[in-house]
Amino acid sequence: MVDGMDVAHEMVLWKVEPQCSIAEADDFERLSRLLDRPRVKIERKLSFDERSLSELSVTGNLRPVDSYDSMCSPGAGRSALDTPVSLARNSFEPHPMVGEAWDALRRSIVFFRGQPVGTIAAIDHASEEVLNYDQVFVRDFVPSAMAFLMNGEPDIVKNFLLKTLHLQSWEKRIDRFKLGEGVMPASFKVNHDPVRKTDTLMADFGESAIGRVAPVDSGFWWIILLRAYTKSTGDLSLAETPECQKGIRLILSLCLSEGFDTFPTLLCADGCSMIDRRMGVYGYPIEIQALFFMALRCALAMLKPDVEGKEFMERILTRLNALGYHMRSYFWLDFQQLNDIYRYKTEEYSHTAVNKFNVIPDSIPDWIFDFMPSRGGYFVGNVSPAKMDFRWFALGNCIAILSSLATPEQSVAIMDLIEERWEELVGIMPLKISYPALEGHEWNIVTGCDPKNTRWSYHNGGSWPVLLWLLTAACIKTGRPQIARRAIELAESRLWKDGWPEYYDGKLGRYIGKQARKFQTWSIAGYLVSKMMLEDPSHLGMISLEEEKVKKPPIRRSASWTA
């Protein structure tokens, strides 16, 4: 989480507030009126993968699924007892945590001019400092959005998508530098004026972030969430509006622009994603590459094939081919690949070089030799010239499975690794955000002696309950729901009693994080989404993409061909 919003930043945001708040009401209301027409009902045949998922039940019995509409939770609404619809459909008694979690999630809802537009990061009344935990973060809202979609409450998600889309159009400056037009905010805050009875917005595009880094992942999560909304509701009208189409293209323009890059991966600074502090992930972090791949695939499915859309679709196809090959070839690590790297020759200068990134075998950390099982594998944290970060990062590997960046064999291997190294990666409280922790001199150099990212704490090997929903989705997709059930049972043993902490500390995740906020919204939402997906695996379709052979971009002859 980004730390602090200082007084100077408050003043800067206040200056832009009046000019933005005057126009935003008209835009928001106009879009809302445009979208508040009858939803398009889509009937389509299910693919084999979707059919097999939707036919699953918790007991393993088959149940028929006649159409896409039967997969959508919105059609069912909520039960008379005001319990989540996914629980109402099943006969077994829900865990007592579920009701408490829903109550806590609803208390976190933020309203803008009477409409729900998101959920704040945390409601920790015991904490003296609010910092920016009273804001709506784009990445934090995703599990909340998934919970509401699965429970048949899409309006808050639609409002959030529209409001953040409007914020994208704001002029974004840090000091004297203007950010790209397509940058999405890291977060926004609703200011209520009880005297004037008005609501205004403040947005943070990285001006107050640690190191003043723009959130690279926000735009990707927005595209992924737009696709999830469309998938859940069957409502194509939102994604097809000119405003949403333009928003998608603006985000893609930032990522697909040509430059000096020799790799299809995105070059990023430290602190540009969930790990928003200095943790040595600068370069080509797996989290960003996996989200990038997934956002490209989601955008490809939602872009309209008009003149502008076709151009972007061709560029997306080109990038997907290159990015998929690059990640599967150079980021993947298993026992055999580790042994190959261990035997690498260096200083190879030719097109036939095996050690293409000139990774020095002596730079391989000692821990990886004992950690790597004979069965299993994962995508390493980072690969760039003469650098390979062998650390495990949970979010990037889960997204790799869900987006089908990982091949079916690689997806199975990631699940095998989690089972083989359960104590290290899951422990007592799921799930390790990274493994292992940086310690000693390495911690001094890489984190800059960060007092918040000490060993086995926060981003440095801390355990984050929010990651449970991504683990559950990955488990269901790979046919390993028992892994998710085991992890959920661990969470249920403590998470509610401990007050829904943001993260846990220690090698096994035994201790509530030293600076962890209580009633952290995405810890609550992550648990709910995990439960609902296990009880109704058809929900997986919102966040999972089937494997497909990416079409090769058309080959165009140059003008000199016929000259």
Side-chain angles (χ1 to χ4, degrees):
M1 191 66 64
V2 180
D3 282 336
M5 177 173 288
D6 54 30
V7 176
H9 179 55
E10 294 275 4
M11 294 175 65
V12 171
L13 290 172
W14 181 83
K15 290 177 183 177
V16 301
E17 205 172 275
Q19 68 184 51
C20 298
S21 59
I22 292 173
E24 69 193 10
D26 294 337
D27 290 344
F28 187 65
E29 290 170 6
R30 178 171 60 84
L31 275 173
S32 297
R33 285 197 303 271
L34 179 65
L35 292 164
D36 285 338
R37 60 175 183 262
R39 289 175 180 162
V40 179
K41 289 291 183 181
I42 299 176
E43 294 185 2
R44 62 175 178 83
K45 293 182 179 180
L46 300 177
S47 66
F48 176 79
D49 288 343
E50 289 172 313
R51 198 163 58 243
S52 61
L53 282 171
S54 60
E55 289 169 353
L56 286 172
S57 69
V58 176
T59 59
N61 298 324
L62 298 180
R63 57 182 177 83
V65 175
D66 299 323
S67 69
Y68 175 75
D69 290 337
S70 66
M71 291 177 63
C72 299
S73 55
R78 292 176 66 84
S79 71
L81 298 176
D82 198 39
T83 56
V85 65
S86 60
L87 298 179
R89 278 201 295 261
N90 291 283
S91 58
F92 55 83
E93 189 70 21
H95 194 282
M97 276 178 63
V98 173
E100 293 291 333
W102 274 108
D103 290 342
L105 182 60
R106 296 192 188 286
R107 287 196 299 270
S108 72
I109 294 177
V110 174
F111 291 85
F112 179 78
R113 296 173 183 169
Q115 295 183 318
V117 293
T119 52
I120 62 174
I123 309 178
D124 189 354
H125 299 296
S127 178
E128 296 178 359
E129 291 183 294
V130 175
L131 298 178
N132 55 2
Y133 284 82
D134 62 345
Q135 298 184 29
V136 180
F137 280 80
V138 172
R139 75 176 68 95
D140 291 39
F141 180 66
V142 172
S144 296
M146 294 296 172
F148 287 122
L149 288 174
M150 292 177 186
N151 200 46
E153 302 176 58
D155 288 345
I156 185 174
V157 182
K158 183 176 79 171
N159 293 339
F160 170 85
L161 289 166
L162 288 172
K163 186 51 57 183
T164 46
L165 179 64
H166 173 74
L167 294 174
Q168 184 193 41
S169 65
W170 286 16
E171 182 176 279
K172 302 169 274 284
R173 287 184 179 273
I174 297 181
D175 294 331
R176 299 182 182 182
F177 184 73
K178 183 178 178 181
L179 276 68
E181 189 179 1
V183 175
M184 280 288 186
S187 63
F188 65 86
K189 181 178 180 179
V190 178
N191 281 333
H192 302 283
D193 188 334
V195 178
R196 298 180 180 179
K197 296 182 179 180
T198 58
D199 291 345
T200 52
L201 289 176
M202 294 194 311
D204 174 22
F205 293 92
E207 310 98 303
S208 64
I210 300 296
R212 304 301 185 261
V213 180
V216 177
D217 63 336
S218 286
F220 298 151
W221 279 122
W222 187 88
I223 292 175
I224 293 167
L225 185 55
L226 178 60
R227 186 255 182 194
Y229 171 86
T230 304
K231 210 54 176 160
S232 172
T233 63
D235 177 17
L236 299 176
S237 61
L238 177 60
E240 290 183 346
T241 59
E243 291 82 1
C244 280
Q245 291 289 305
K246 180 182 178 182
I248 294 172
R249 292 195 301 269
L250 286 175
I251 295 170
L252 295 179
S253 294
L254 294 173
C255 310
L256 300 176
S257 58
E258 296 179 350
F260 293 99
D261 298 304
T262 54
F263 315 126
T265 41
L266 281 182
L267 181 62
C268 303
D270 245 336
C272 66
S273 58
M274 179 181 176
I275 298 179
D276 56 8
R277 301 169 72 89
R278 182 175 161 187
M279 269 289 292
V281 297
Y282 61 88
Y284 305 91
I286 178 60
E287 177 178 340
I288 291 298
Q289 313 314 320
L291 286 171
F292 181 32
F293 186 89
M294 189 167 194
L296 287 177
R297 291 199 61 193
C298 291
L300 187 63
M302 294 187 293
L303 281 172
K304 296 172 71 174
D306 51 22
V307 176
E308 291 180 295
K310 280 185 177 180
E311 178 191 351
F312 275 94
M313 291 169 78
E314 290 181 6
R315 293 168 67 184
I316 289 173
L317 286 171
T318 301
R319 194 60 167 264
L320 280 173
N321 274 286
L323 182 60
Y325 175 82
H326 183 90
M327 297 298 296
R328 293 163 190 148
S329 300
Y330 305 123
F331 273 67
W332 181 252
L333 188 71
D334 55 20
F335 181 83
Q336 183 59 53
Q337 182 64 11
L338 177 60
N339 205 162
D340 291 343
I341 296 172
Y342 176 69
R343 292 167 51 83
Y344 268 169
K345 295 179 180 179
T346 59
E347 312 301 328
E348 294 180 291
Y349 184 81
S350 73
H351 293 291
T352 59
V354 176
N355 187 2
K356 294 184 178 180
F357 294 91
N358 197 37
V359 176
I360 311 300
D362 288 343
S363 69
I364 301 175
D366 292 338
W367 64 266
I368 189 65
F369 293 105
D370 293 327
F371 175 77
M372 179 60 70
S374 56
R375 183 177 68 98
Y378 65 103
F379 289 96
V380 297
N382 216 314
V383 177
S384 58
K387 174 188 175 183
M388 182 172 282
D389 185 349
F390 290 88
R391 285 178 294 173
W392 152 273
F393 291 90
L395 193 152
N397 276 275
C398 287
I399 292 293
I401 292 175
L402 296 174
S403 65
S404 291
L405 170 61
T407 65
E409 295 77 17
Q410 289 172 337
S411 297
V412 169
I414 293 172
M415 289 292 109
D416 288 342
L417 178 77
I418 292 173
E419 281 194 315
E420 292 285 333
R421 295 293 178 259
W422 184 267
E423 184 172 312
E424 292 88 345
L425 303 181
V426 181
I428 292 176
M429 177 58 66
L431 181 66
K432 286 292 179 193
I433 188 173
S434 63
Y435 181 90
L438 300 172
E439 302 183 68
H441 182 66
E442 186 180 21
W443 170 79
N444 292 340
I445 299 300
V446 175
T447 72
C449 303
D450 187 350
K452 195 167 185 178
N453 270 330
T454 54
R455 63 177 186 172
W456 307 112
S457 180
Y458 203 49
H459 299 140
N460 189 17
S463 300
W464 291 68
V466 63
L467 296 172
L468 188 61
W469 79 275
L470 289 170
L471 174 65
T472 300
C475 290
I476 294 172
K477 184 174 182 181
T478 53
R480 312 276 274 275
Q482 70 278 5
I483 297 178
R485 289 196 189 96
R486 184 181 174 190
I488 289 172
E489 288 173 1
L490 285 174
E492 287 177 336
S493 68
R494 286 194 56 185
L495 198 54
W496 179 24
K497 298 175 184 177
D498 292 341
W500 308 99
E502 180 182 11
Y503 63 94
Y504 286 77
D505 287 353
K507 274 191 174 183
L508 299 177
R510 293 179 61 195
Y511 304 96
I512 298 174
K514 59 183 175 182
Q515 295 187 41
R517 297 304 172 106
K518 297 290 188 72
F519 290 93
Q520 187 78 15
T521 303
W522 66 358
S523 295
I524 298 165
Y527 167 73
L528 287 172
V529 174
S530 299
K531 293 287 285 187
M532 285 190 281
M533 276 195 292
L534 264 188
E535 288 152 8
D536 186 356
S538 66
H539 288 315
L540 181 66
M542 278 190 274
I543 193 64
S544 177
L545 296 168
E546 298 177 50
E547 185 190 23
E548 64 178 24
K549 296 295 182 181
V550 180
K551 297 177 182 179
K552 292 184 178 181
I555 300 175
R556 302 184 185 278
R557 291 180 176 177
S558 65
S560 62
W561 180 268
T562 56

